[in-house]
Amino acid sequence: MSRWTYVLSEAFIGLGRNLLMSIAVILSVAVSLTLLGAALLLSREVSLVADDWIGRIEVSIFLCDGQRCPEITPEQQAELESQLEAEPVVQSVAFESKEQAYTRFVELFDNQPDLIATLDEGVLPASFRVKLTDPERFAVIADRFDAFPGVEASVDPREVLDRLLNALNLVRYGAVLIALVQLVAGAVLIANTIRVAAFARREQTSVMKLVGASNWYIRLPFLLEGVLEGLIGGAVATALLRIFYPITKDELLSVVQFVPFIGVEEVWAVGAQITLLGVAIAVVSSLLSLQRSLDV
């Protein structure tokens, strides 16, 4: 029997000998890596959505309709549109009537009939939808046109977007925190499993030491046992992400429209990352456990 055959066989024998504990370790690592993988996927999705929405941001300049300020005249509206189009920071200008504003509101909230019922047609003001060459230059438009005759207010949708992204980031950070706690628990379980295995084979270890086996050769079966647990846990986590991501995406698509989603290749990339992390954690925790458990 070659040395590597012996190392591999001993590693698999160790997994089988402590089967229940090995299963507990694998499940713990799989759960923690799944949570971490989900947090990483959420992070990529947030970045994708933020880039897409920021690129499509339009400043809304609401026009007075006589309810809260004197109604804008056709001459004032034409002059406002002309000056907006002449602004260097403005990429395009589109007019939206009161009827169009109400129609768009109904389309956006067609799954909330109670909300639509609270709003009468004609309540929403007409507006100019202004797309900027740089969304960060909103202050230029606000400073110049907020006091323009017939203008009720200008609204920067980045404020709403920032609140939404902050909420998503809070969920992401919470998932990462829970995953890290779970990873620590998995590392402790791996260390304890290796320690129990080393204790059970202490006589075999002593014999190997007497016949001249090196320290690393004695440690390798135990180290490989931990690596296998981390590797299997990472593979299970990747499989779970691959299975549940399309289901989650389909559910979201049925509720949220016009939102870009990351592709399956991102799931595989994150799966590879968390699997490598699981192996790395297994190696570190196994080495630390062996240094204390094997006096070689």
Side-chain angles (χ1 to χ4, degrees):
M1 180 183 295
S2 67
R3 290 189 173 186
W4 283 109
T5 303
Y6 167 78
V7 169
L8 289 171
S9 63
E10 284 296 310
F12 283 107
I13 289 172
L15 287 175
R17 184 180 290 119
N18 302 300
L19 185 59
L20 290 179
M21 187 172 290
S22 297
I23 292 174
V25 170
I26 291 171
L27 290 178
S28 178
V29 172
V31 169
S32 57
L33 291 178
T34 300
L35 288 173
L36 182 60
L40 293 176
L41 290 176
L42 177 60
S43 177
R44 298 188 181 200
E45 178 65 26
V46 169
S47 298
L48 180 64
V49 170
D51 291 342
D52 179 68
W53 285 1
I54 288 175
R56 293 189 296 169
I57 276 181
E58 293 179 340
V59 174
S60 297
I61 298 182
F62 294 106
L63 309 181
C64 295
D65 57 3
Q67 298 183 21
R68 288 177 291 273
C69 55
E71 185 175 1
I72 189 170
T73 64
E75 294 77 13
Q76 290 173 334
Q77 182 173 321
E79 178 63 20
L80 173 61
E81 184 174 8
S82 175
Q83 292 194 23
L84 282 171
E85 292 175 343
E87 281 291 325
V89 299
V90 173
Q91 180 176 331
S92 63
V93 179
F95 176 71
E96 182 178 75
S97 66
K98 295 168 71 73
E99 294 76 15
Q100 291 171 331
Y102 181 78
T103 300
R104 187 164 65 90
F105 177 85
V106 172
E107 291 175 352
L108 287 173
F109 299 98
D110 61 346
N111 59 340
Q112 301 182 46
D114 293 339
L115 177 61
I116 296 175
T118 62
L119 192 69
D120 295 328
E121 186 172 356
V123 171
L124 295 175
S127 65
F128 280 112
R129 303 286 177 176
V130 182
K131 188 174 181 61
L132 305 181
T133 56
D134 180 4
E136 299 293 333
R137 303 293 299 278
F138 166 75
V140 174
I141 299 299
D143 292 342
R144 178 164 183 185
F145 294 101
D146 271 357
F148 195 92
V151 171
E152 182 176 344
S154 59
V155 177
D156 182 8
R158 287 182 307 154
E159 298 177 3
V160 178
L161 178 61
D162 287 342
R163 288 196 294 269
L164 174 61
L165 295 180
N166 288 336
L168 291 175
N169 284 329
L170 184 62
V171 174
R172 177 179 61 180
Y173 296 143
V176 170
L177 180 61
I178 294 173
L180 290 177
V181 173
Q182 284 286 107
L183 281 174
V184 172
V188 172
L189 276 175
I190 291 175
N192 284 336
T193 302
I194 300 303
R195 185 176 301 174
V196 169
F199 180 79
R201 285 181 269 177
R202 61 190 183 280
E203 293 183 1
Q204 179 182 341
T205 300
S206 299
V207 172
M208 292 178 65
K209 182 179 179 182
L210 288 174
V211 298
S214 65
N215 292 343
W216 274 109
Y217 187 68
I218 295 173
R219 289 190 175 113
L220 270 178
F222 302 102
L223 180 60
L224 186 57
E225 183 179 334
V227 168
L228 287 172
E229 291 171 342
L231 184 62
I232 296 172
V236 172
T238 301
L240 290 174
L241 291 175
R242 180 62 184 86
I243 291 171
F244 286 103
Y245 172 72
I247 298 174
T248 305
K249 179 180 177 180
D250 291 341
E251 288 295 327
L252 290 175
L253 281 173
S254 66
V255 179
V256 183
Q257 301 294 325
F258 309 112
V259 173
F261 285 90
I262 57 177
V264 176
E265 63 277 3
E266 297 284 350
V267 179
W268 290 121
V270 168
Q273 292 173 2
I274 61 177
T275 300
L276 289 175
L277 178 61
V279 171
I281 290 174
V283 169
V284 173
S285 57
S286 297
L287 286 176
L288 292 176
S289 178
L290 289 171
Q291 285 181 350
R292 299 183 60 182
S293 302
L294 293 180
D295 185 18
V296 294

